[in-house]
Amino acid sequence: MKNIFKLSIGFLITAIAFTSCGDQKSSKSNGALSSSKAEKVYVAPGEHDSHYAFISGGYSGNLTVYGLPSGRMFKEIPVFSQFPTNGYGYSEETKPLLETSYGFVPWDDSHHPDISQTNGKLDGRWVFINGNNTPRIARISLTSFETEEIIEVPNSAGNHSSSFITENTEYVVAGTRFSVPVPQKDMAIKDYKGNFKGALSFISVDPEHGHMDIKFQVLMPGFNYDLSHPGRGKSHGWFFFTTYNTEEASTLLEVNASQNDKDFIAAINWKKIEEYVNNGGGTMMPANYAHNVYDENTHTATSTMKKEVRVINPSEVPGAIYLLPTPKSPHGCDVDPSGEYIVGNGKLSANLTVHSFTKMLDAIENEKFDGDAYGIPILKFEDVLAGSVEQPGLGPLHTEFDGQGNAYTTFFISSEVVKWKLGTWEVLDRKPTYYSVGHLTIPGGNSREPFGKYMFAMNKITKDRYLPVGPEMEHSAQLYDISGDKMELLLDFPTHGEPHYAAAIPAEIIKDKSRKIYKLAENEHPRKATNESETKVVRDGKNVHVYMTLIRSHFTPDNIEGIKVGDKVFFHVTNLEQDFDVPHGFAMIGANNAELLIAPGQTKTLTWEAKQVGVWPFYCTDFCSALHQEMQGYIRVSPADSNIELSWSLGED
Ligand code: K7E
Ligand code: CUA
């Protein structure tokens, strides 16, 4: 067994070396884009792209917004990471979004964005994304393009099989990558097997406001739950998770978790469990997790610690959970638009395995079982197999669909995307990627109605594709036209962080409802100042609250005296502008946090500690008018025992 394994690794390494050198050659020979390709990605000055792509920032913790087909980056939306560019996670209003049971966690590792759906179609209301490191799920508004909510996932560790949503956005799902003791406790690591648990969390989404709530967690055997996708159409009501490390090894997983010939796809009938829960089933377990919600009217987030979570053991709901044997350490778990086919991308498997939902139901009904794992029935492999794509490439990771009956699978080791036909399993086309592709995205590719015009591959290794910028290059995406029989490579474009996955959508679904301003009349921030006459400075012990406004091109007030060393000054800054795209910035010398970038009509708060006697300037950071450089002011800081009165002014000498 071990020797065979070593042999296959040897083969893979040779394959890597072989492909990368082959790739370089073909890259050189195809070097310049032909003019027809250039036309396909050319978006003339002032014209708009036809699609948005929301690309995961990976270890940046954020989400970037791109246009297709141009590959231009429009915005970075801060999600799990502090973002000095606009003060996210530094302003008093947004700090609560990053609260967790571990305290303030200003970073995460985001992997899988997924856009909300109605009836299996992208509805463009929200995009969800997971935090892998400190298990969390975020909801981002596709109206304001801001993070509106983050919920922590207890009993989870490495929230990787996440954040995929069901076809009416009933649930956003989070599965743990690492199994852990549940509840956590001090125990020997070597006693992992049989004792650790893997929590699969079903988080309900309020249909109107999108608010998330953990409806239940299924405490599964201690495998690693890698990726997941919902059933759709005929399989709506089920959710599928790939597993690896069904060996339950705790050390040297590269060897010890590659022993079993087959791991599993876990099929969860969430409708059945939901019914059980709605009838009072499950157990409330003590837990500690943060639920952070941003209010668009007060422009302020609040963080609440939740104290319990509903857990379900598989044995409580017979007939709700089955295991589908799947070779070998599958990564991606992808369901086709009809809901019939479930693709298990076995990383170390020679063939690509596709299961049939219809056969699965039949096997369940006729009890075609092959034993069980911790009481969960294992279905017979042959009885659930729809077919397999024979030797399509090396190291399959992820599959997407074009809605025309074709599937597209990425192969990391052989660095290619392979197009194949659902049902006949024949390979139709293959195109190299530069280099070592991870995920790929087709707009709507994870829905009942994909928009099969473009596909882009997100590659892990960039090497020579761009001008060198030192030892580390940004990752590279590649856009293909998939409207014809053969895929056509159109464009390379760099991405930010590690773009594990992306969600993409036709622009017309969201662009017209994109927010332009925050209406001052609707501003409910408790410390707003919606006109200059409402500005003031208020002392409350050692805390000083400055109610300040901004308009081209001055601060009100712009001279403040009577601050003392040891004071904590809270600048509550309201941007009075009511025009699209006229933000102002606020920066204070020596601030230990960041600047603020304040959208029209918005109020944000920056805290500054007065540490040294002197007269200290603040200024606007965003070039907002011809007199932007005049947009500045001073704060006088006097000794702690000074009796200078608090005063503030604008335009008085
Ligand atoms: Cu990078 Cu989806 Cu986290 Cu595969 S995952 S590549
Ligand atoms: Cu306001 Cu520059």
Side-chain angles (χ1 to χ4, degrees), residues 80 96-105 107-108 129-139 149-159 162 172-175 184 199-204 211-217 287-293 302-310:
F80 297 112
L97 282 169
L98 303 181
E99 285 298 332
T100 74
S101 63
Y102 305 88
F104 185 76
V105 178
W107 168 86
D108 215 306
I129 193 166
N130 61 324
N132 187 53
N133 179 55
T134 303
R136 290 178 276 182
I137 289 184
R139 181 177 54 81
E149 186 175 1
I150 295 180
I151 192 165
E152 190 181 351
V153 187
N155 296 330
S156 190
N159 176 35
S162 172
V172 53
V173 167
Q184 274 289 4
L200 307 181
S201 308
F202 285 74
I203 297 160
S204 60
H211 290 162
M212 297 183 280
D213 189 24
I214 302 179
K215 179 96 171 176
F216 58 87
Q217 295 189 311
N288 200 23
Y289 59 102
H291 183 207
N292 311 326
V293 182
T302 48
S303 178
T304 312
M305 279 295 163
K306 300 259 210 162
K307 292 295 173 198
E308 53 179 15
V309 66
R310 187 178 298 273

Side-chain angles (χ1 to χ4, degrees), residues 223-396:
F223 310 149
N224 289 41
Y225 295 84
D226 204 16
L227 277 140
S228 65
H229 266 110
R232 53 180 61 100
K234 64 169 80 165
S235 52
H236 179 56
W238 290 78
F239 223 99
F240 304 94
F241 294 82
T242 41
T243 68
Y244 65 102
N245 192 24
T246 51
E247 297 85 350
E248 296 179 73
S250 62
T251 183
L252 195 62
L253 264 66
E254 64 171 326
V255 174
N256 295 330
S258 304
Q259 298 302 310
N260 289 349
D261 185 45
K262 294 192 178 65
D263 296 280
F264 303 117
I265 286 178
I268 313 277
N269 186 336
W270 59 259
K271 277 236 164 120
K272 195 162 194 154
I273 301 174
E274 179 186 60
E275 197 184 305
Y276 173 72
V277 165
N278 286 344
N279 289 322
T283 312
M284 295 310 288
M285 176 184 163
N288 200 23
Y289 59 102
H291 183 207
N292 311 326
V293 182
Y294 182 81
D295 180 320
E296 231 188 16
N297 298 314
T298 60
H299 307 174
T300 303
T302 48
S303 178
T304 312
M305 279 295 163
K306 300 259 210 162
K307 292 295 173 198
E308 53 179 15
V309 66
R310 187 178 298 273
V311 297
I312 312 288
N313 283 307
S315 59
E316 290 172 51
V317 198
I321 304 173
Y322 298 91
L323 299 172
L324 286 66
T326 306
K328 290 215 45 155
S329 302
H331 185 55
C333 181
D334 298 296
V335 179
D336 87 305
S338 74
E340 168 64 11
Y341 298 121
I342 304 130
V343 183
N345 302 261
K347 298 191 295 278
L348 303 175
S349 168
N351 303 329
L352 197 63
T353 306
V354 186
H355 296 302
S356 155
F357 178 71
T358 311
K359 285 181 141 186
M360 181 190 94
L361 290 186
D362 183 72
I364 292 169
E365 196 170 314
N366 295 299
E367 302 194 348
K368 293 174 175 166
F369 299 150
D370 203 355
D372 70 277
Y374 299 99
I376 302 172
I378 300 171
L379 299 170
K380 281 211 173 102
F381 178 68
E382 299 72 25
D383 289 317
V384 293
L385 185 72
S388 45
V389 188
E390 302 290 327
Q391 312 226 324
L394 293 174

Side-chain angles (χ1 to χ4, degrees), residues 392 407-411 416-420 427 429-430 487:
Y408 301 72
T409 300
T410 54
F411 291 86
E416 58 190 337
V417 180
V418 173
K419 176 181 178 181
W420 51 276
V427 169
D429 189 25
R430 59 177 68 239
M487 297 175 274

Side-chain angles (χ1 to χ4, degrees), residues 111-112 160 227 331 397-398 438-439 460 500:
H111 284 230
H112 306 119
H160 193 262
L227 277 140
H331 185 55
L397 290 184
H398 298 283
H439 275 272
K460 301 296 188 192
H500 290 270

Side-chain angles (χ1 to χ4, degrees), residues 117-160:
Q117 296 182 20
T118 304
N119 295 324
K121 292 183 220 168
L122 300 187
D123 64 21
R125 298 207 287 166
W126 307 297
V127 56
F128 296 84
I129 193 166
N130 61 324
N132 187 53
N133 179 55
T134 303
R136 290 178 276 182
I137 289 184
R139 181 177 54 81
I140 295 127
S141 158
L142 290 182
T143 306
S144 64
F145 290 66
E146 291 198 41
T147 302
E148 286 192 330
E149 186 175 1
I150 295 180
I151 192 165
E152 190 181 351
V153 187
N155 296 330
S156 190
N159 176 35
H160 193 262

